[in-house]
Amino acid sequence: MISLSDIQAAQERLSGLIIRTPLVFSQTLSRMYGVRVFLKLENLQTTGSFKLRGSLNKIKLLPNASRTTGVVAASAGNHAQGVAYAASLAGIPATVVMPQWASLSKQLATEGYGGLVLRHGQDLTEALAKAQELADTGLTFIHPYDDPQIIAGQGTLGLEIMADLPEVETILIPVGGGGLAAGVALALKSIKPSVRIIGVQARLTPSAQAARETGRPVPVPSSATLADGINVTCLGQQTFPILQEYLDDLVLVSESEIADAVLLLLEKKKILCEGAGAVPAAALTQVLKDRNLGRRLVLLISGGNIDIPLLERVVQRGLINSHRLLTVRVILPDSPGSLGRLTTLLGQAGANILHLDHDRLGLDLPLKDTRVYLALETKGPQHCQEIRETLADAGYLVDNRV
């Protein structure tokens, strides 16, 4: 098992090569949840995530023979970019195996950092197996999380948090394979044992929960999740004992909660993060909202690499979940002025029409009627209800879809 001195040595090794990311206070989240909330913005790190820390620490320690033959890694995207960038700094060839579903933007970014991308497998476990096959040909395998030098590199985040906020009482950390959570938990607990470390995982891939329940890492089914960066089906053999010793609690969050958290951080704090980076905020706003988390809380925003098309869908889904986007179908007479009267009524009700579509050809419609599909921007659940009541009072036949 690694020690605090290993993490401190990694911090010295990485000095000047990585960004010392900011720890910022959130007035909005603090006011909403009654605790002083700070955000560790590792989404601002070079390559867009914390993964560079571990990759660079590992590659800096490689023997000369490995530097000649090159390295190979497996990753859903962030570790891929970290390895590619770190290898390019060292002048080492890098091959990265990514699952078939890996984000397009992460694939392109990895190639942009000089890495050779191979797409293989339906989950990270299959991608890892392929990478280990390639390692048998002479390449040096860089594990995404289950490696002492990787864990030590990720743990440098904990040293930065403790230096910037020694009064920290609780920290919420994403958990995938466990490298980040293990390194940060070990660093923080070694310096301040009273700090509470709460891991957060996507409910669709609860590998850490399964490991805690069985007492050993066990595989769980792979499921597509918005938090693709922590979509790991089995906790690491080396990360597990560290988490067993230092993790105080583990909570799970749903896909809708993750989407809401991405939107919350983007709208309230102007912070762009990926699904995995948003899971601490998702936990704070839902499963932990009534928990006593102390007076000073840190959310570790682990990464910001999200596909723009996916971000658009996430924002739409978040608006629907928060009832700030209302979709309705209204039946009205197919006659001059009918649509104008409807839109005027919606304007008077304070609804902003984002999209409108006419359907005159529905076989279930009387010939004298038309169906109008509307997407409306609203102020929230109460406003949605007021809009429905306004339409009903005016005699419109409405099929609500929220």
Side-chain angles (χ1 to χ4, degrees):
M1 184 182 292
I2 68 169
S3 66
L4 177 62
S5 62
D6 295 315
I7 299 174
Q8 292 169 330
Q11 187 176 49
E12 293 182 10
R13 201 171 290 122
L14 302 182
S15 179
L17 299 175
I18 63 170
I19 297 171
R20 194 181 191 286
T21 52
L23 183 71
V24 300
F25 174 68
S26 172
Q27 181 68 49
T28 300
L29 293 177
S30 299
R31 185 174 60 251
M32 290 171 65
Y33 298 102
V35 56
R36 290 180 64 81
V37 179
F38 296 81
L39 309 176
K40 179 61 172 174
L41 299 181
E42 197 64 6
N43 59 312
L44 301 181
Q45 184 58 258
T46 305
T47 73
S49 91
F50 72 95
K51 286 288 191 177
L52 177 61
R53 296 172 182 264
S55 301
L56 194 53
N57 187 51
K58 177 70 176 181
I59 286 176
K60 290 279 286 184
L61 291 169
L62 288 179
N64 290 332
S66 297
R67 292 173 178 270
T68 301
T69 56
V71 299
V72 62
S75 168
N78 287 337
H79 179 61
Q81 293 174 70
V83 168
Y85 183 80
S88 70
L89 288 181
I92 300 173
T95 301
V96 182
V97 183
M98 304 180 77
Q100 295 285 351
W101 47 261
S103 155
L104 288 176
S105 66
K106 291 179 181 179
Q107 292 182 49
L108 293 172
T110 301
E111 292 172 341
Y113 291 128
L116 172 64
V117 173
L118 301 179
R119 293 172 64 243
H120 177 85
Q122 296 305 311
D123 57 36
L124 187 58
T125 300
E126 293 181 6
L128 281 167
K130 182 63 176 179
Q132 288 168 336
E133 284 181 21
L134 295 174
D136 291 339
T137 67
L139 301 178
T140 298
F141 180 59
I142 309 294
H143 200 284
Y145 52 87
D146 210 22
D147 180 292
Q149 294 162 356
I150 294 289
I151 297 169
Q154 321 302 28
T156 59
L157 266 166
L159 299 181
E160 291 179 11
I161 291 170
M162 186 57 65
D164 291 342
L165 188 68
E167 305 87 0
V168 60
E169 296 178 46
T170 305
I171 179 168
L172 307 187
I173 310 177
V175 180
L180 173 65
V184 172
L186 193 156
L188 289 171
K189 288 282 194 177
S190 297
I191 299 171
K192 187 177 181 179
S194 64
V195 174
R196 282 176 291 178
I197 312 293
I198 301 178
V200 188
Q201 193 161 55
R203 183 168 286 129
L204 288 180
T205 314
S207 55
Q209 181 189 59
R212 286 165 67 88
E213 290 175 351
T214 60
R216 59 186 175 85
V218 291
V220 299
S222 175
S223 300
T225 169
L226 175 58
D228 62 337
I230 54 173
N231 187 8
V232 180
T233 59
C234 190
L235 203 66
Q237 295 291 334
Q238 299 192 56
T239 61
F240 173 68
I242 301 175
L243 294 179
Q244 280 291 84
E245 180 174 355
Y246 294 115
L247 201 65
D248 294 295
D249 199 0
L250 177 78
V251 297
L252 305 179
V253 292
S254 70
E255 295 303 292
S256 62
E257 290 167 350
I258 297 170
D260 290 346
V262 171
L263 178 61
L264 173 70
L265 291 170
L266 183 61
E267 187 173 36
K268 300 298 185 183
K269 289 298 296 180
K270 307 302 180 286
I271 293 171
L272 177 63
C273 67
E274 60 191 274
V279 296
L284 173 63
T285 60
Q286 297 296 329
V287 65
L288 296 175
K289 64 181 179 181
D290 297 321
R291 183 89 62 90
N292 179 9
L293 300 173
R295 293 170 295 177
R296 293 172 181 83
L297 168 70
V298 171
L299 308 183
L300 205 166
I301 310 301
S302 59
N305 295 318
I306 185 170
D307 278 325
I308 297 303
L310 176 60
L311 176 62
E312 181 180 5
R313 298 198 298 273
V314 168
V315 169
Q316 292 285 338
R317 183 67 59 84
L319 289 172
I320 291 173
N321 290 341
S322 61
H323 300 278
R324 291 172 52 207
L325 181 63
L326 173 66
T327 60
V328 295
R329 300 189 304 175
V330 180
I331 308 298
L332 68 159
D334 190 6
S335 59
S338 294
L339 182 58
R341 286 190 292 273
L342 173 62
T343 57
T344 297
L345 181 65
L346 290 171
Q348 292 170 345
N352 183 29
I353 300 174
L354 300 177
H355 180 75
L356 183 151
D357 190 27
H358 244 141
D359 175 22
R360 290 187 172 90
L361 302 179
L363 296 179
D364 60 326
L365 284 173
L367 291 176
K368 63 180 180 59
D369 289 341
T370 183
R371 180 183 289 114
V372 178
Y373 297 81
L374 297 135
L376 307 173
E377 182 183 15
T378 76
K379 301 174 185 177
Q382 181 60 37
H383 192 200
C384 287
Q385 184 59 33
E386 292 171 358
I387 292 169
R388 296 189 192 100
E389 292 173 356
T390 297
L391 292 171
D393 291 345
Y396 288 102
L397 179 61
V398 178
D399 177 10
N400 296 309
R401 294 184 179 183
V402 178

